[in-house]
Amino acid sequence: MQERLAGRLSELDDDILDAFGSLLPEGDYLPSLLRVEPRLVTPGQEGDYFSGEQVAAWGIDAFWGLPEHPRTPYYRTFETVVDEGAHLYEFVVPMVPPSWNEPERVEEYAEQMRRGAVPTAVAVSTLDLCQPALDLHSTDYHGHWGLAHFLLDGHHKLAAAASVGRPVQLLSLLALGESLAAPDDHRRLAALRSQPSLSRGTRPTP
């Protein structure tokens, strides 16, 4: 399995789907192969969604007077306009802190990627659609489609890709029953991800 995931998958592999599917709770999952270019983000620093785009839409937490804190570094990979009132944001979330990665393994993958390799990571994913109820605190009022991939395998691969600015393939198992989205929204994902990714800091026009 490790050898097969060390490279790019040309199609959805039943053996790999069965292996990882057996680790997940019973339910409906939509598998897809995605190409992602990860950028490591530290909470509270440049590029952090929770202290940037989320604050622009919802404002800061009314009780704490601070932005939400995800409590872990994470990867931003893709974003695009859904329509004139919504924006898609995509994240890859490690299940262990990136600081726990073995530097030697990260560098090994990084060297392979410099030579053109595109390894495959695996994640269980959710799609959540949210929007502020009222335009009271927003400087950028619009709906947010949050596509979050929680890594099951590939922590060293994502770290390596982020360090050398190279892409990886991601086998996403979208948990349909655990997502705050409707079937029609799930069906739109493939077309939305085929759009060009917006550059950092770009916002849709409400």
Side-chain angles (χ1 to χ4, degrees):
M1 191 71 67
Q2 286 183 332
E3 290 178 359
R4 289 156 76 180
L5 293 175
R8 188 200 323 247
L9 298 179
S10 59
E11 59 184 10
L12 293 172
D13 187 301
D14 288 340
D15 290 341
I16 293 176
L17 291 176
D18 289 343
F20 283 97
S22 67
L23 304 176
L24 300 175
E26 183 176 346
D28 294 324
Y29 297 87
L30 176 64
S32 57
L33 288 173
L34 309 175
R35 180 185 175 94
V36 299
E37 298 182 10
R39 175 169 55 91
L40 183 64
V41 173
T42 300
Q45 297 187 13
E46 180 183 358
D48 176 28
Y49 166 84
F50 297 94
S51 56
E53 291 92 340
Q54 188 179 74
V55 169
W58 277 270
I60 61 175
D61 184 272
F63 180 81
W64 297 107
L66 296 168
E68 298 289 340
H69 197 291
R71 302 181 185 277
T72 182
Y74 60 95
Y75 301 95
R76 295 192 68 165
T77 54
F78 179 83
E79 58 186 85
T80 193
V81 171
V82 176
D83 53 38
E84 64 180 11
H87 198 169
L88 170 68
Y89 301 94
E90 183 181 61
F91 314 94
V92 177
V93 185
M95 292 293 95
V96 296
S99 60
W100 288 15
N101 290 332
E102 299 174 12
E104 297 81 6
R105 287 190 65 194
V106 172
E107 179 53 33
E108 181 181 337
Y109 279 118
E111 182 57 33
Q112 293 174 10
M113 292 177 190
R114 293 187 189 102
R115 297 197 299 265
V118 182
T120 302
V122 184
V124 60
S125 310
T126 59
L127 174 66
D128 293 338
L129 276 60
C130 303
Q131 184 165 332
L134 299 171
D135 187 5
L136 298 178
H137 306 288
S138 299
T139 60
D140 191 14
Y141 182 80
H142 63 277
H144 288 213
W145 289 42
L147 179 58
H149 307 289
F150 301 91
L151 280 177
L152 301 176
D153 179 84
H155 289 76
H156 295 89
K157 298 169 187 175
L158 267 291
S163 71
V164 296
R166 301 289 297 176
V168 295
Q169 189 176 59
L170 184 68
L171 172 56
S172 165
L173 304 172
L174 181 64
L176 303 180
E178 302 300 325
S179 297
L180 299 177
D184 286 345
D185 303 320
H186 302 147
R187 286 190 284 270
R188 293 186 64 186
L189 271 181
L192 289 172
R193 284 203 88 268
S194 69
Q195 298 177 174
S197 182
L198 296 178
S199 60
R200 193 185 321 170
T202 304
R203 299 286 186 274
T205 302

